[in-house]
Amino acid sequence: MFCGAGGSSWGARGAGVEIVKGIDNDPVAVSTFADNFPSAKSMNPVTAESVELNELRRSVGSIDLLLASPECTDHTHAKGSAPKLESSRRKALQVIRYAEALECRWICVENVVNMANWSGYGDFVRDLERLGYRIRTQKLNAADFGVPQSRRRLFLLGDREELPPEVAPPQQARRRSVKSVIARHKRYVSTPLELDGRATATLERATRARNELGDGVSFLIVYYGTDKAGGWQRIDAPLRTVTTIDRFALVTWAGDVPMMRMLQPDELSRAMGFNLDSKSKFKLRYGTRRDRVE
């Protein structure tokens, strides 16, 4: 449910899960999902609310696991001071409807950690328990599992037969840096950082980085949006959380001239964990560049 382009499904398949269906209402995401999971049931863009569950059950048959990443926009701090919509938050309740109809043994719900602060979160968990699920919740960071991105998320795991075990990061997992996913070729063109018309805030963030690192050292700046760390980061650490906007710009050097370009979809894809170790390649070829970033 809320499958998007198929990130959770891609990870689940790598762990041995057979993906039989994905449900989402975004046309580009649906096309991308179908491209990467050709054996899954055919699908059209559709909202979770509009799916007739008896028909769905007849279509997919008996299933073991329901994966769900409900809409997070109105749980996250990334929305800033904009009003939070309860109608968006309540889309998570579709998980209850699906779980009751499909009677799967396992459920995995993933969202931003602030979902746990939602006024309806307690009822959401109790409704799953009412259906017979034993629930474990954890807050996990992708960077602790070898992904070159710091992405802290809430995972709610449910099992109808026993309490799910606690998930622990691999003891030998190394933290990958964003440097490991940055393309080295010349295909992506940089322009001088200090172009006329460049936003003052962008230049200020770059200045803070240069004051800390010195000239000649590459770094990233938060080009769109804000953060609480000065608006820049080193490239020898995991990338800060990737969002749906074109957020990160890479600053490199041509002699003593700082140059800048945005991180590209293939780099962001690797930062999300795609195509790092797998033999098969996640395909991201539909829509505009903006769509692929999202």
Side-chain angles (χ1 to χ4, degrees):
M1 304 173 60
F2 314 100
C3 67
S8 294
S9 300
W10 185 264
R13 188 170 67 181
V17 173
E18 177 191 0
I19 305 300
V20 298
K21 184 80 171 180
I23 295 171
D24 201 274
N25 68 345
D26 182 274
V28 175
V30 165
S31 296
T32 302
F33 186 96
D35 206 20
N36 287 287
F37 301 93
S39 63
K41 300 288 183 181
S42 60
M43 56 185 284
N44 295 309
V46 63
T47 63
E49 300 95 310
S50 65
V51 172
E52 205 289 308
L53 293 182
N54 287 331
E55 181 181 334
L56 175 64
R57 184 163 184 167
R58 285 192 297 271
S59 171
V60 300
S62 176
I63 67 167
D64 302 301
L65 168 66
L66 177 65
L67 292 170
S69 294
E71 193 169 288
C72 68
T73 308
D74 289 273
H75 290 296
T76 179
H77 286 317
K79 196 171 183 180
S81 60
K84 305 293 193 296
L85 300 178
E86 185 63 16
S87 60
S88 170
R89 292 169 169 173
R90 290 182 63 82
K91 290 182 180 181
L93 301 182
Q94 289 299 313
V95 175
I96 308 299
R97 188 170 78 94
Y98 279 63
E100 189 167 22
L102 298 174
E103 298 180 316
C104 46
R105 174 177 170 179
W106 293 290
I107 285 178
C108 176
V109 179
E110 173 267 343
N111 214 292
V112 294
V113 296
N114 290 325
M115 183 186 185
N117 299 327
W118 170 41
S119 61
Y121 179 74
D123 288 339
F124 176 70
V125 174
R126 284 186 286 272
D127 281 345
L128 287 173
E129 292 173 333
R130 175 181 56 80
L131 294 177
Y133 289 97
R134 301 180 188 184
I135 302 297
R136 181 183 295 279
T137 58
Q138 287 188 255
K139 296 173 183 177
L140 304 172
N141 191 334
D144 294 331
F145 294 82
V147 175
Q149 177 193 179
S150 179
R151 190 176 192 87
R152 189 166 173 261
R153 289 294 182 267
L154 172 72
F155 287 85
L156 188 153
L157 308 175
D159 186 337
R160 279 184 146 166
E161 296 186 10
E162 59 187 4
L163 181 68
E166 185 173 355
V167 177
Q171 290 186 349
Q172 301 302 318
R174 62 185 177 88
R175 283 210 157 195
R176 295 189 181 185
S177 70
V178 63
K179 183 178 180 180
S180 68
V181 305
I182 293 173
R184 298 290 190 269
H185 49 66
K186 303 295 186 181
R187 176 159 55 104
Y188 298 135
V189 177
S190 299
T191 58
L193 171 68
E194 296 169 341
L195 281 178
D196 291 341
R198 189 78 78 189
T200 301
T202 297
L203 297 175
E204 289 174 346
R205 293 166 186 168
T207 297
R208 286 194 286 271
R210 293 167 67 178
N211 288 342
E212 177 76 18
L213 301 174
D215 287 353
V217 179
S218 299
F219 57 88
L220 289 167
I221 55 175
V222 178
Y223 192 75
Y224 289 115
T226 59
D227 68 8
K228 298 179 180 179
W232 70 278
Q233 74 155 91
R234 300 172 183 268
I235 63 171
D236 58 359
L239 185 63
R240 292 187 192 144
T241 302
V242 174
T243 66
T244 60
I245 61 174
D246 214 357
R247 188 181 188 201
F248 298 105
L250 172 68
V251 176
T252 56
W253 295 82
D256 58 358
V257 178
M259 307 291 288
M260 191 191 83
R261 69 167 175 85
M262 303 305 296
L263 290 188
Q264 297 299 309
D266 66 313
E267 296 167 314
L268 296 172
S269 177
R270 290 193 294 274
M272 291 292 291
F274 294 115
N275 306 331
L276 287 174
D277 302 310
S278 58
K279 294 180 181 178
S280 56
K281 181 176 176 59
F282 186 83
K283 292 174 281 190
L284 196 64
R285 58 186 181 179
Y286 291 100
T288 64
R289 179 188 177 281
R290 175 70 185 83
D291 292 326
R292 294 193 297 275
V293 168
E294 182 176 2

